Amino acid sequence: MPAGPAGAAALRRARRHRGRGDGRLRRESHGRRHRPVVAVSTVTVVGLDAAGAPAHPALTPALAAARLVVGAARHLAAVPVPPGAATVTLGPLAPAVDRLAAAVAAGVPAVVLASGDPGLFGIVRRLRAAGLPLRVVPAVSSVAAAFARAGLPWDGAAVVTAHGRDPRPALNACRALPLVAVLTAPGAGAAELGVGLVGWSRRLLVAEHLGTDAERICEVTPAQAAAGTWSDPHVLLSVAAPDPGGMRWDNQPAAAPAAGWALPESAYAHRDSMITKSEVRALVVARLRPRLGRLVWDVGAGSGSVGIECALLGAAVLAVEHDAGAADAIRANAAAHAVDVRLVVGRAPAVLAGLPDPDAVFVGGGGTDVLAAVLARRPDRVVLTLAALDRVAPAVALLRAAGYRAGGSQLSAARLADLPGGSIRLAATNPVVVLTGERPCTT
């Protein structure tokens, strides 16, 4: 949040004078004298160690020089604030930012106290947005402390937050990735995330009261987490079971896959060519817009190729398939591509009841009853493929009746094929209609 009018104006005035001198009187050519210019000071942001270790050595001299100290009540009580320093107890951030901006403009040394590493989902972002010059002295973050207490490496982990925002992206990151740390908040903690992870093979470690005598690390299943009562704030570690044996070679758990997407059909086990062709899959995946934080359903998954490629792009994926043979292929294909796809074996639409709400759905099989059941869950986007033209109009009518913008195109691909004698021909694949339904004002 930007500094208020008074603090911001003072900061702008001071910045205009920055670099004009060191405070000494200066004379212009016409002989007029200027008043001394006060140098703009820097706010020192100091992290207090979440692991309970002694404070960083830089804290003592910073506090000794400070004339303004800002922090939460527990932080102000934990350090020796100089007797002559003013203090601001953090609640709403805007008044504190105004005080800090005014202090910077007046050259008054200021210290901000924070938890752990204040650059990790912390106050540094807000202070930078206000234009304040900062010096940051981090401590061990709560995330690093939680992994250390659990005895786990975390160089391949994703770190997300459910604090002050919709917790669903954090939940879907836990569903999609093998190792995730979540910074929680009241109402968006281990109990609520545990409810959403039931059905996924995860073990959860809940780290409470880090760095205090009441510190506790509990390892639980999602169901146990959902039934538990947890102290705030805490850190939740979500670990795939069995434990992930490694990480991607590029150390980017949710980056675009190194091998790309729209992979050839030969990259998947499938039966009787029952697989979405790569040309069609490229458009379908583009329309689904998978990314970390989203949950995609692949209904009538077949080989699972669409869902697997969504998972390769960071989305959490839930594949629905009624055929036992196809379900085996989905498991094998997900393992071959090293992604975690939750498989639900059963016939849609009945099996869809009780599944977590999706952000996007691919309907690769089933009739209008399946599409109607999907639309009833109100995902942002629905994509379906149809080979029979007589099914297009009823599907479009359902999409529009449900309030979705409907559009589509027919894809007719022709692939290069060799002929005897070294010649090449075009071999046509079956034309497919790709329909997309999009709720207004969605991304």
Side-chain angles (χ1 to χ4, degrees):
M1 181 177 295
L11 189 56
R12 286 195 298 271
R13 287 195 299 272
R15 281 176 172 162
R16 284 198 295 269
H17 291 288
R18 185 185 296 177
R20 291 187 180 178
D22 57 3
R24 293 172 296 179
L25 296 180
R26 302 199 305 160
R27 186 182 303 273
E28 294 183 351
S29 58
H30 48 65
R32 295 183 61 184
R33 298 169 68 88
H34 283 283
R35 289 177 297 176
V37 176
V38 178
V40 176
S41 65
T42 298
V43 176
T44 302
V45 185
V46 181
L48 301 183
D49 204 320
H56 192 283
L59 175 61
T60 299
L63 278 176
R67 293 298 173 262
L68 174 65
V69 182
V70 177
R74 69 182 187 278
H75 295 147
L76 293 171
V79 302
V81 176
T87 60
V88 174
T89 302
L90 283 177
L93 192 56
V97 171
D98 283 347
R99 290 285 299 275
L100 288 167
V104 167
V108 173
V111 170
V112 176
L113 304 172
S115 295
D117 184 347
L120 179 68
F121 293 111
I123 198 169
V124 167
R125 181 181 300 276
R126 299 289 295 276
L127 298 181
R128 289 282 298 176
L132 296 175
L134 303 180
R135 175 196 177 208
V136 181
V137 182
V140 174
S141 70
S142 58
V143 172
F147 276 110
R149 295 294 189 263
L152 291 174
W154 64 292
D155 43 12
V159 180
V160 298
T161 182
H163 193 278
R165 63 199 71 192
D166 185 348
R168 288 179 299 174
L171 172 60
N172 285 332
C174 293
R175 289 165 170 168
L177 300 177
L179 191 59
V180 181
V182 183
L183 298 171
T184 67
E192 293 78 14
L193 296 172
V195 170
L197 288 171
V198 171
W200 271 263
S201 182
R202 296 290 184 272
R203 64 187 184 100
L204 305 179
L205 293 95
V206 185
E208 302 172 280
H209 303 295
L210 286 167
T212 73
D213 293 339
E215 180 177 283
R216 183 175 71 151
I217 306 290
C218 295
E219 181 174 332
V220 292
T221 66
Q224 290 168 336
T229 300
W230 310 101
S231 300
D232 291 313
H234 58 269
V235 176
L236 177 71
L237 307 182
S238 172
V239 184
D243 286 357
M247 59 184 177
R248 289 168 48 123
W249 68 272
D250 55 6
N251 197 29
Q252 297 293 322
W261 52 94
L263 301 175
E265 290 86 87
S266 59
Y268 300 96
H270 55 92
R271 298 187 308 163
D272 303 324
S273 296
M274 296 298 293
I275 181 173
T276 304
K277 300 298 188 289
S278 60
E279 296 89 351
V280 175
R281 198 180 327 121
L283 179 60
V284 167
V285 172
R287 293 287 185 260
L288 290 169
R289 299 181 183 174
R291 63 177 184 268
L292 184 63
R294 284 179 168 261
L295 174 62
V296 176
W297 284 3
D298 183 358
V299 181
S303 68
S305 62
V306 169
I308 286 168
E309 296 198 4
C310 289
L312 286 169
L313 290 164
V317 176
L318 199 157
V320 177
E321 177 56 53
H322 76 277
D323 183 89
D328 289 339
I330 293 169
R331 294 187 186 95
N333 287 328
H337 291 278
V339 293
D340 187 6
V341 172
R342 179 183 169 188
L343 177 62
V344 176
V345 180
R347 189 176 294 277
V351 75
L352 304 180
L355 298 182
D357 289 333
D359 296 295
V361 180
F362 173 58
V363 181
T368 54
D369 57 339
V370 173
L371 178 58
V374 164
L375 293 173
R377 301 298 289 271
R378 308 301 294 164
D380 291 342
R381 304 176 70 80
V382 179
V383 181
L384 59 155
T385 52
L386 301 171
L389 292 178
D390 59 349
R391 297 178 59 192
V392 173
V396 169
L398 277 175
L399 289 167
R400 290 175 175 167
Y404 286 72
R405 290 194 297 263
S409 56
Q410 183 192 65
L411 297 185
S412 300
R415 296 176 173 178
L416 297 180
D418 291 331
L419 284 172
S423 225
I424 295 176
R425 69 181 180 89
L426 289 174
T429 60
N430 290 331
V432 175
V433 175
V434 178
L435 294 181
T436 301
E438 183 176 6
R439 289 176 59 193
C441 301
T442 62
T443 58

